[in-house]
Amino acid sequence: MFTSIRPAAVAGLFYPAAPDELRAMLEGYLARARMSLISQANTQHSQAKVIIVPHAGYIYSGLVAAHAYVLIESMAATVNKVLLIGPAHRVYLQGGALPQSQYFETPLGQISIDKRSVEMLESNPHITVSDLPHQQEHCLEVQLPFLQHCLNQFELIPLLIGESDPQETAKLLEQLWGGEETLVVVSTDLSHFHRYAEATHLDKLTCQKILQGLETIFPEQACGSFCLNALMLQLKRHQLCLTQLSYQNSGDTAGDKNRVVGYASFASR
C-alpha cells in the first residue's frame, strides 16, 4: 500500500528513538572522530564527493561511520542532495530499487525524496520503483540521522542495490552523480561472523581492494559488494581516489570476538 512517508523502521533498535538522546549520541561520536582525525592530521577531505560508511547499530559501528561524516560538516552550505546507496537485505532484488514514498522519516524529522530523479529512472529496466524493498531496510536508514545532523536541508535519492552488473549500476550512478551539490554515500559492512583474528585479516584484504579501486569485491567480503564494485568504476571515471579513515569490528566495540562483523569508513580525495 502506497504511503507518502516511509517511517523509521529501526529507531529504538539500531539507534535511539528519542531525538535528544539520538543527537547526543551522534555528537559524541562526531566529537571523538574529530579528535581522532586531528591526531592523524587527516583533514584533507573537507570536500569529499564520496564517503563509504558502515550500517550496523550505532553502538557497533557509529564511531567508524562518524570518521567519514565529520568530514562533510563543512559542506553543509553546498550539499543539497544526497545519493545514498546500499545493499538490499530484506527483499531479493535484481538491479536497483527507488521508493514511491515522498519522504523518509527519522526521529530528527522528515527528508524529501528527490522525485525528479525517481521519475527520470522509473522507466529504466534496471530500476524498480517500490516501497516494499525499503520498508524494513536498515542500511540506508541508519545513515539518515548522521546526514540530518551534519548537513542542512537536502533531498534524498535512496537507492537499494541487489544482484547487478557493475557496469549497469555505474551507469545509474552516473545519471545521479551531479556536481558539488550532490554527496554520494555508500553504505556497507565488511566480513560477517568470523573469529576476530580471521575477520581482521579478511577485512584488511578487502580494504586494500577498495583503496586500489578494484571492482572484484565479493559478497562474502562486503555485504555492499555490488554497490562497491559499481562505485569503483565511477571513481575511475571521475579520477577520484579513496583514503581509509577508520576500521573496527564488533569485537572492538560492543560484541564478543567469536563472531564479529567488520566496519570501515573511507572518503574520496
Side-chain angles (χ1 to χ4, degrees), residues 101-222:
S101 297
Q102 297 171 348
Y103 301 91
F104 273 24
E105 187 173 54
T106 80
L108 302 186
Q110 294 178 359
I111 306 170
S112 297
I113 302 303
D114 176 15
K115 295 303 289 184
R116 291 181 298 278
S117 293
V118 175
E119 290 166 0
M120 177 178 69
L121 292 177
E122 62 186 353
S123 62
N124 189 301
H126 302 286
I127 286 289
T128 299
V129 179
S130 171
D131 285 333
L132 181 62
H134 290 271
Q135 269 182 357
Q136 299 299 318
E137 181 57 58
H138 65 280
C139 79
L140 304 188
E141 181 183 327
V142 297
Q143 312 305 340
L144 301 181
F146 271 109
L147 290 166
Q148 288 171 299
H149 192 77
C150 294
L151 297 176
N152 298 332
Q153 191 169 356
F154 62 91
E155 288 190 312
L156 182 69
I157 310 170
L159 178 60
L160 287 174
I161 299 294
E163 189 173 336
S164 56
D165 175 74
Q167 297 282 353
E168 293 298 335
T169 303
K171 290 178 185 177
L172 293 175
L173 298 186
E174 179 62 19
Q175 288 184 268
L176 302 169
W177 196 255
E180 63 179 9
E181 82 291 339
T182 302
L183 172 70
V184 180
V185 180
V186 179
S187 177
T188 185
D189 292 340
L190 299 180
S191 68
H192 285 58
F193 309 136
H194 299 284
R195 290 184 177 274
Y196 184 93
E198 182 181 7
T200 303
H201 173 70
L202 292 172
D203 291 341
K204 182 178 181 180
L205 297 177
T206 304
C207 289
Q208 288 173 349
K209 279 190 173 185
I210 293 171
L211 292 171
Q212 292 167 11
L214 302 178
E215 63 267 21
T216 56
I217 299 166
F218 299 104
E220 59 267 26
Q221 296 175 303

